[in-house]
Amino acid sequence: MLMIFDFFNNSSSITVSVMEQFHDYTMMFLSIIIMFIFVIMFRIINSKTTNYNFKENMNLEVIWTIIPMIILFLIAYPSLYYLYLFDLSMNPTISMKVIGAQWYWIYEYFDQSGWSYSSYMLSDLDLMKSNMINKLGWRLLETDTRLILPYATEIQCLTTSMDVIHSFSIPDLGIKMDSIPGRLNSINFQITRPGLFFGQCAEICGTGHSFMPICLEAI
């Protein structure tokens, strides 16, 4: 039941909100197309006569060639608009760097005099030793040091890797960015509410791939 309620939560970032709006927009076209096809199929199957004007109508063929082109344009334009909007950096208040390592994360804040720290997964034994029994439900997701960020603030996140390819992924915030050695990838996001957001490395990076979680706390 907890997973069901969590699935229907409101979006936690502007990126996810835009994705949901675009999903609803494209589903409108998909629903109309499916309904139209089913109506045509139903009428053809239940009709005892053959309508040759419908099957060999040149004007109708031109119409149902042009209409799909218009629909594709109506879907492609907002898709490209949102794609470039996500990469646009207006005026980020905070810039940070995420470095993937085997098998933990390193966070650096550019605006805090180069302050950096490492974040490791907490094992079940560590949770019990530190009297954090109430957090056993988040096993394999809780970390010894959380990534602390303010909500309602535009944040620029840069990521790279020290060894192999990792992937910095927080699904609730619509963040998934590859951490590649020798390359610096960038993403901008804005969290809309305070809370805890969990993620994991989304790229198979070795035997410890399942044990390098991300725990972000928005305050």
Side-chain angles (χ1 to χ4, degrees):
M1 292 297 292
L2 180 62
M3 294 179 62
I4 295 176
F5 289 133
D6 185 67
F7 180 77
F8 290 103
N9 275 344
N10 293 328
S11 57
S12 303
S13 72
I14 294 179
T15 303
V16 177
S17 178
V18 170
M19 288 180 180
E20 291 176 352
Q21 293 177 5
F22 181 69
H23 170 268
D24 297 339
Y25 176 74
T26 53
M27 284 299 295
M28 175 187 68
F29 289 105
L30 181 61
S31 301
I32 294 174
I33 293 171
I34 291 177
M35 290 177 60
F36 176 74
I37 292 174
F38 272 112
V39 169
I40 297 298
M41 291 177 60
F42 180 79
R43 295 193 61 177
I44 291 177
I45 292 173
N46 291 287
S47 177
K48 296 180 180 180
T49 59
T50 301
N51 189 344
Y52 289 102
N53 292 328
F54 178 78
K55 289 185 176 180
E56 301 179 3
N57 192 327
M58 182 63 66
N59 294 329
L60 187 60
E61 291 184 4
V62 172
I63 291 173
W64 66 36
T65 301
I66 294 176
I67 290 180
M69 294 173 58
I70 297 174
I71 294 175
L72 288 176
F73 174 78
L74 293 176
I75 295 176
Y77 177 77
S79 175
L80 294 174
Y81 176 79
Y82 291 141
L83 183 64
Y84 284 101
L85 182 65
F86 291 155
D87 292 334
L88 183 64
S89 178
M90 298 300 293
N91 187 21
T93 306
I94 294 178
S95 296
M96 57 167 297
K97 186 176 181 180
V98 178
I99 303 173
Q102 292 180 318
W103 285 273
Y104 61 96
W105 297 98
I106 302 173
Y107 304 123
E108 295 182 1
Y109 296 90
F110 294 151
D111 302 331
Q112 298 292 335
S113 301
W115 181 40
S116 66
Y117 58 89
S118 301
S119 179
Y120 295 86
M121 185 194 74
L122 279 179
S123 64
D124 295 345
L125 184 60
D126 293 332
L127 289 174
M128 298 181 68
K129 283 182 178 179
S130 56
N131 295 324
M132 300 169 69
I133 306 299
N134 59 324
K135 295 184 179 179
L136 282 176
W138 304 114
R139 62 182 299 270
L140 304 182
L141 292 175
E142 189 65 52
T143 58
D144 59 348
T145 308
R146 293 172 177 172
L147 173 60
I148 307 296
L149 292 173
Y151 74 97
T153 303
E154 185 176 354
I155 301 167
Q156 182 186 34
C157 179
L158 307 175
T159 182
T160 185
S161 174
M162 294 177 60
D163 33 57
V164 298
I165 298 177
H166 300 280
S167 184
F168 186 74
S169 174
I170 306 177
D172 285 347
L173 302 180
I175 299 174
K176 186 181 183 298
M177 183 170 47
D178 289 339
S179 303
I180 302 174
R183 180 174 176 178
L184 206 59
N185 291 331
S186 174
I187 190 172
N188 296 332
F189 62 94
Q190 183 173 336
I191 308 171
T192 56
R193 64 179 177 87
L196 285 177
F197 305 97
F198 296 98
Q200 289 178 306
C201 176
E203 185 74 29
I204 299 177
C205 55
T207 56
H209 162 68
S210 303
F211 307 105
M212 51 180 306
I214 303 160
C215 182
L216 186 152
E217 183 176 359
I219 59 175

